[in-house]
Amino acid sequence: MTDPNAIQPSALDQLPDRDPEETAEWQASLDAVAREAGPHRAAYLMRRTLERAEAGGIALPKLLETDYVNTIPTSAEPSVPGDPEMEARITAWNRWNAAAMVTRGSKYGVGGHIATFASAAWLYETGFNHFFKGKEGDGSGDQLYIQGHASPGIYARAFLDGRLNEHHLDNFRQEAGGNGLPSYPHPRRLPWLWEFPTVSMGLGPLSAIYQARFNRYLTNRAIKDVSASHVWAFLGDGEMDEPESTAALALAAREELDNLTFVINCNLQRLDGPVRANFKIVQELEAQFRGAGWNVIKTLWGTAWDELFQLDTTGALVRRLREVPDAQIQTYQTRDAAYIRQDFFGKDPALAEMAKLLSDDKILECFHLSRGGHESRKVYAAYKAAVEHKGAPTVILAQTVKGHTLGEGFASKNANHQMKKLTVDEFKAMRDLLELPIKDSDFVDGVVPYGHPGADSPEVRYLQERRAALGGPAPARRTHALPALPAPAEKTFASFDKGSGSQNVATTMAFVRLVKDLVRDKETGKRWVPIVPDEARTFGMESLFPSLGIYSPKGQTYEPVDRDQLMYYKEAKNGQILNEGITEAGSMADFIAASTAYATHGEAMIPFYIFYSMFGWQRTADQMWQLGDQLGRGFLVGATAGRTTLTGEGLQHADGHSPVIAATNPAALTYDPAFAYEIAVIVREGLRRMYGEAKPGEDQNVFYYLTVYNEPLPQPAKPQGLGIDEGIVKGLYRFNTAESAGITVVANAPRIQLLGSGTAIHWALEAQKLLAEEWGVAADVWSATSWSELRRDAMEADAALLRGEERVPYVRQALQGAEGPVLAVSDYMRQVPDQIAQWVEQDWSSLGADGFGLSDTREAARRHFGVDAPSIVVAALAQLARRGEVKATAVKEAREKYGL
């Protein structure tokens, strides 16, 4: 049977052999080694040769998988500066307090995780003492993406250095009363400490890549030199199964992001059991990252293994380590020396002989305790190699034991992720193992005490001195007192007030035109960050290519095919546009990095991310929550919006629900503007609120979601009168009355209020004419720019009433005195306008595009969903008939007249 991995003769024939005799000599040498020393020795020599070739710059395919040993041999490890014994004592205190915090909280049933930090303690401590730059030094410091389940260890360290006290620790996962600690990294809940929310697994690694990339973007565009910042992402091996975790590996390698290091804690366990029970996750990840172009460092075995590797003169130990599956490695962690002698060493005669030279204690030390991720010297060597590597990002695969130092009841047990406490006896055993000066009498009434060596102890002084040398506390988030960005010239926005005259303009085009004007602003134009996932031409943004440039760290190394055209494809090292290719997830990660630059780097950036509305909230809503959690600011623009507006595309592209999903996010201000001048007002207000002078009590940490449409329609002039801008911002204003629209209204005509949002207002305006001309009904038309903002205001009014404050919801104020019932319509499911139904005093009814989308013309789709003008007329007549204001027969007549 042919080996599928072998190079077939047909492939070799493509390369002419200029010296067949030399080739034959090399092949004969390899055959001789295999014959005399065995195939494993031959394979070893081939691997070393390939590594030498790669180091020498010879173009060869990369070796994707290496032996299951440390990348950096013991002989090449640098000495660790500082005081390793002092750092060991600090780590012991952190281990203790992390476990104590979760155990003490368990009596309230709030949960917590102990085993993850126990495995990763040295991965963090080594970084805090020697590598992680703080924000009080030059530049912006490093960005740390902490593994969510390890948060108790980070709190424990903050307690040791005085940033937290016992009261804080006792309120872990108990935030309602104030001074509580969120369960996981959360900037909105603990904004002075956490920069990045990471526990929605997979989003941390994706965001870290785009954060490192955005750092380069800021530097290359001369906004701020952040070349000294390094991004560290601490991840779990099980987390790497999330598709987002590895979605952008190629981007990081392609753009040579050597300012980025992934540290993957390979404790071989996920929540329910082994990550790769029958396989080896480290080897799998190594091949995946090497194949993507990353520098890979494996830190697997501690110094206790050095003796074993020295005894391995035949390679039998290395071979055995490669073949043992992860679940069996986990089993060795829990079994005695006799079992390990039989199952591990007994499989190979050479290993059986080796085992005779090893004591039981030595075997247990190696298989129970000695892992590369548990030794500061091994971790330091890996980190130093990572930050010194140039031309590619680095991933460190550090092997640890989940639950390390927590005792036999925890270490490597499948259930340890769900285990929330230790017994008093287990704590005492842990104390003895860590050699902590905690007395039995300190356990009062069976409650485990927190441990602290004292604010002026050598440990605390050492910790604080190390952090001072590295630029201050970490992790830390800084809220910079940035000056308000100057408002763009009023004429930029006022130019939309006059409408488009006889020209038909889609609101997508209106928004893009507004952005084109705003990026030309001398004061703030450079701070705009246009983001688009390979749909710029769809949205009419190609004119921005030559003027702003598409960001590329390589610049443009080719002559574009359309160079002779006015709107040619221009890439530049200082390009402003982030054109990400077909990745909404990557584009959102861009947006998050840009939207939080005001805190991360002290630079206010104004991102706008434009996308098919169907593929925004639906596909990446988890990242929208991450954006809100991280206190991001900017404009999300759902283009080609609505269920019936994008003709021909059909079900997969027909968005009838994104405003519903957006309305669930407290940080999202969702608008569905109908006209160009509304977009201008909303964007102007958004710039003021997020980047300008905030009003008293106003939260600046919000983001805007605007839906815009691709249907070219006449853009009317902005109505005259007071309160129009206020109504646009608050969510509702009267666009016209039947009389102001120039419609002849008979005396004492029945009246109805038509509320429409987005493109639906055009159907309402057509229905307004039909109702007057054919049925004698007067209709007033209202533009509902934001159903969700109306609801948010009404809910705040309800809360105020419960506090004894008199407050009337804005929607009720706006509609006060409006005659007749209310009929609302949008190009979305009825749930969108129905958000405000309970606060409308008039009789309420709504129309919407519920159900699945379909491919057809706009007219046919709207008739199908019953939202076109004739459908609105019939619904209006039915509402008036129920009130006795028109004859009941009018409804049937209208249905027949319009063919409904």
Side-chain angles (χ1 to χ4, degrees):
M1 187 175 185
T2 303
D3 181 356
N5 296 316
I7 299 178
Q8 303 303 313
S10 59
L12 294 177
D13 290 343
Q14 305 302 311
L15 299 174
D17 192 342
R18 297 180 179 181
D19 193 340
E21 290 185 9
E22 183 183 37
T23 304
E25 290 174 2
W26 277 77
Q27 292 171 335
S29 296
L30 184 64
D31 292 342
V33 171
R35 184 171 57 253
E36 299 298 329
H40 300 294
R41 177 61 181 170
Y44 176 86
L45 291 176
M46 287 299 297
R47 285 196 294 272
R48 299 291 87 79
T49 302
L50 286 171
E51 290 171 357
R52 183 62 175 266
E54 182 179 350
I58 300 173
L60 284 173
K62 284 184 177 291
L63 186 67
L64 296 186
E65 188 177 319
T66 60
D67 286 325
Y68 200 65
V69 296
N70 294 347
T71 302
I72 303 171
T74 302
S75 59
E77 292 170 0
S79 60
V80 181
D83 187 340
E85 291 186 5
M86 183 69 72
E87 292 174 18
R89 293 205 298 273
I90 292 170
T91 305
W93 285 115
N94 292 339
R95 289 182 182 279
W96 177 272
N97 288 321
M101 178 196 331
V102 176
T103 297
R104 287 168 68 126
S106 66
K107 66 181 179 181
Y108 301 109
V110 295
H113 300 285
I114 303 177
T116 293
F117 177 73
S119 69
W122 275 113
L123 301 180
Y124 292 107
E125 195 61 36
T126 303
F128 285 131
N129 285 324
H130 301 287
F131 292 95
F132 303 157
K133 293 186 288 293
K135 296 182 178 298
E136 295 174 3
D138 295 334
S140 302
D142 288 353
Q143 288 82 56
L144 308 180
Y145 288 77
I146 303 295
Q147 191 178 1
H149 294 134
S151 63
I154 309 304
Y155 291 140
R157 197 173 203 276
F159 169 65
L160 205 63
D161 73 7
R163 292 197 290 165
L164 294 175
N165 57 39
E166 288 192 13
H167 179 71
H168 290 116
L169 300 193
D170 267 344
N171 282 281
F172 174 61
R173 292 194 169 194
Q174 299 173 72
E175 300 177 75
N179 290 321
L181 301 179
S183 53
Y184 304 122
H186 205 305
R188 189 169 286 275
R189 290 299 182 209
L190 206 60
W192 60 268
L193 181 72
W194 297 120
E195 280 194 285
F196 309 108
T198 54
V199 86
S200 188
M201 292 191 183
L203 299 190
L206 179 67
S207 292
I209 289 174
Y210 281 89
Q211 181 65 57
R213 197 282 198 90
F214 190 73
N215 290 357
R216 289 281 172 84
Y217 173 91
L218 287 178
T219 300
N220 288 334
R221 288 198 54 221
I223 300 292
K224 182 179 182 179
D225 184 357
V226 295
S227 56
S229 291
H230 199 88
V231 177
W232 300 82
F234 289 84
L235 316 167
D237 47 0
E239 180 179 6
M240 301 312 292
D241 284 345
E242 289 285 3
E244 295 90 350
S245 294
T246 55
L249 297 187
L251 167 72
R254 183 169 66 245
E255 300 203 0
E256 301 178 356
L257 298 180
D258 50 25
N259 60 338
L260 170 67
T261 297
F262 276 15
V263 181
I264 303 181
N265 179 15
C266 297
N267 56 36
L268 314 185
Q269 288 183 248
R270 55 189 180 198
L271 276 63
D272 289 332
V275 178
R276 292 289 183 273
N278 296 297
F279 307 93
K280 301 188 81 63
I281 185 60
V282 168
Q283 301 299 90
E284 179 182 320
L285 290 173
E286 178 185 27
Q288 194 169 13
F289 278 85
R290 282 191 188 277
W294 286 54
N295 175 44
V296 178
I297 299 173
K298 293 197 291 193
T299 303
L300 307 180
W301 308 111
T303 53
W305 283 83
D306 288 349
E307 179 183 344
L308 276 67
F309 288 125
Q310 290 171 2
L311 294 172
D312 185 29
T313 57
T314 65
L317 177 61
V318 174
R319 292 196 300 273
R320 182 67 178 137
L321 288 173
R322 281 182 63 105
E323 69 188 20
V324 176
D326 283 352
Q328 193 63 23
I329 293 287
Q330 182 184 348
T331 297
Y332 294 148
Q333 174 68 34
T334 64
R335 303 301 291 270
D336 59 20
Y339 177 87
I340 298 171
R341 285 182 186 277
Q342 177 182 352
D343 192 84
F344 182 83
F345 292 97
K347 301 293 185 180
D348 185 294
L351 289 180
E353 289 300 312
M354 180 192 296
K356 294 177 182 178
L357 303 175
L358 304 174
S359 67
D360 285 356
D361 287 345
K362 182 65 176 181
I363 289 175
L364 293 179
E365 180 186 12
C366 289
F367 284 85
H368 284 193
L369 302 174
S370 186
R371 298 292 186 274
H374 295 324
E375 296 188 12
S376 61
R377 178 171 174 170
K378 303 292 185 183
V379 176
Y380 180 88
Y383 286 7
K384 188 172 188 293
V387 297
E388 292 177 354
H389 185 82
K390 301 302 177 185
T394 294
V395 60
I396 297 169
L397 303 174
Q399 186 161 281
T400 66
V401 174
K402 193 167 187 178
H404 183 58
T405 73
L406 296 180
E408 295 181 0
F410 262 86
S412 286
K413 295 298 174 67
N414 279 340
N416 63 17
H417 194 80
Q418 280 71 37
M419 296 164 69
K420 312 301 181 187
K421 60 184 178 179
L422 296 172
T423 66
V424 170
D425 288 341
E426 287 171 328
F427 266 110
K428 291 178 178 179
M430 181 182 177
R431 171 201 62 190
D432 296 341
L433 175 65
L434 298 176
E435 300 180 347
L436 291 172
I438 296 174
K439 302 185 294 292
D440 285 354
S441 59
D442 292 335
F443 292 81
V444 179
D445 296 328
V447 177
V448 58
Y450 294 121
H452 200 292
D456 196 40
S457 64
E459 292 92 337
V460 173
R461 288 201 306 271
Y462 180 88
L463 182 157
Q464 293 175 341
E465 287 168 2
R466 291 306 308 142
R467 289 311 315 157
L470 287 166
R477 181 179 183 273
R478 291 288 181 266
T479 302
H480 302 268
L482 299 179
L485 292 183
E490 181 59 30
K491 65 180 182 180
T492 304
F493 305 102
S495 63
F496 290 83
D497 291 353
K498 60 185 178 182
S500 63
S502 60
Q503 182 183 7
N504 289 340
V505 177
T507 51
T508 297
M509 295 299 100
F511 178 84
V512 170
R513 180 193 143 191
L514 176 61
V515 169
K516 288 179 183 177
D517 293 340
L518 290 171
V519 296
R520 295 191 187 103
D521 185 85
K522 292 181 179 180
E523 296 288 338
T524 60
K526 68 178 182 178
R527 298 192 175 274
W528 283 85
V529 184
I531 304 167
V532 60
D534 199 38
E535 291 285 356
R537 297 183 191 278
T538 301
F539 306 136
M541 292 173 58
E542 64 268 30
S543 63
L544 296 177
F545 289 169
S547 59
L548 300 183
I550 299 166
Y551 173 74
S552 171
K554 296 290 186 182
Q556 192 155 37
T557 61
Y558 61 91
E559 183 177 355
V561 68
D562 54 359
R563 183 62 180 86
D564 58 341
Q565 297 180 15
L566 181 62
M567 293 183 287
Y568 67 96
Y569 197 82
K570 176 187 174 183
E571 296 188 77
K573 190 172 182 178
N574 64 347
Q576 193 165 352
I577 302 170
L578 292 173
N579 192 331
E580 289 302 359
I582 306 174
T583 168
E584 285 84 5
S587 299
M588 266 307 302
D590 268 337
F591 188 91
I592 291 169
S595 71
T596 54
Y598 73 92
T600 310
H601 295 299
E603 294 289 343
M605 304 300 288
I606 312 171
F608 87 86
Y609 163 35
I610 188 168
F611 51 87
Y612 267 79
S613 68
M614 184 66 166
F615 304 138
W617 282 91
Q618 173 172 290
R619 181 167 288 182
T620 58
D622 198 10
Q623 288 177 283
M624 312 296 191
W625 278 94
Q626 181 188 12
L627 167 65
D629 291 344
Q630 202 166 314
L631 289 79
R633 305 169 184 173
F635 296 96
L636 298 174
V637 182
T640 60
R643 182 148 277 163
T644 70
T645 303
L646 188 60
T647 56
E649 294 285 359
L651 185 154
Q652 291 89 349
H653 288 65
D655 171 23
H657 55 278
S658 72
V660 176
I661 305 175
T664 65
N665 192 304
L669 278 61
T670 304
Y671 286 88
D672 186 26
F675 306 122
Y677 66 80
E678 293 178 352
I679 293 173
V681 170
I682 294 165
V683 171
R684 182 182 61 194
E685 170 65 10
L687 289 173
R688 181 207 62 78
R689 176 166 180 175
M690 295 185 290
Y691 301 98
E693 295 290 346
K695 298 175 182 176
E698 191 173 48
D699 185 6
Q700 287 189 287
N701 299 316
V702 296
F703 60 92
Y704 283 67
Y705 175 54
L706 280 68
T707 48
V708 293
Y709 300 81
N710 72 324
E711 184 175 12
L713 291 165
Q715 294 297 326
K718 185 177 179 180
Q720 299 297 312
L722 298 175
I724 298 297
D725 285 8
E726 179 189 25
I728 292 171
V729 171
K730 289 189 171 182
L732 182 68
Y733 69 97
R734 182 154 50 195
F735 176 72
N736 69 16
T737 63
E739 291 80 3
S740 66
I743 297 172
T744 301
V745 178
V746 299
N748 299 319
R751 188 172 288 269
I752 190 169
Q753 308 299 316
L754 301 180
L755 277 58
S757 68
T759 194
I761 201 168
H762 296 279
W763 321 330
L765 290 169
E766 184 181 347
Q768 181 187 46
K769 293 181 180 179
L770 293 175
L771 283 165
E773 295 172 358
E774 300 183 5
W775 305 98
V777 172
D780 300 338
V781 176
W782 300 70
S783 180
T785 53
S786 180
W787 307 101
S788 61
E789 284 304 291
L790 292 172
R791 176 179 175 83
R792 183 171 289 163
D793 170 81
M795 292 174 66
E796 291 172 357
D798 284 354
L801 285 173
L802 292 176
R803 296 192 300 267
E805 303 171 16
E806 286 297 326
R807 181 173 165 188
V808 179
Y810 173 78
V811 64
R812 189 169 295 166
Q813 295 178 44
L815 291 171
Q816 186 174 12
E819 299 178 39
V822 168
L823 174 60
V825 60
S826 80
D827 204 11
Y828 299 94
M829 56 198 303
R830 289 176 61 183
Q831 189 173 339
V832 173
D834 283 349
Q835 292 180 80
I836 66 170
Q838 73 183 83
W839 292 282
V840 174
E841 293 182 316
Q842 293 87 345
D843 289 344
W844 174 272
S845 184
S846 64
L847 296 174
D850 287 78
F852 289 107
L854 77 166
S855 299
D856 213 310
T857 63
R858 292 186 179 112
E859 293 75 15
R862 287 162 187 167
R863 176 57 57 91
H864 169 81
F865 287 108
V867 292
D868 61 352
S871 298
I872 294 173
V873 169
V874 172
L877 292 174
Q879 211 171 353
L880 291 167
R882 286 193 297 271
R883 295 162 57 94
E885 296 180 20
V886 300
K887 295 179 180 179
T889 55
V891 180
K892 180 180 179 182
E893 292 172 9
R895 281 201 304 266
E896 293 174 351
K897 178 180 180 66
Y898 301 128
L900 298 178

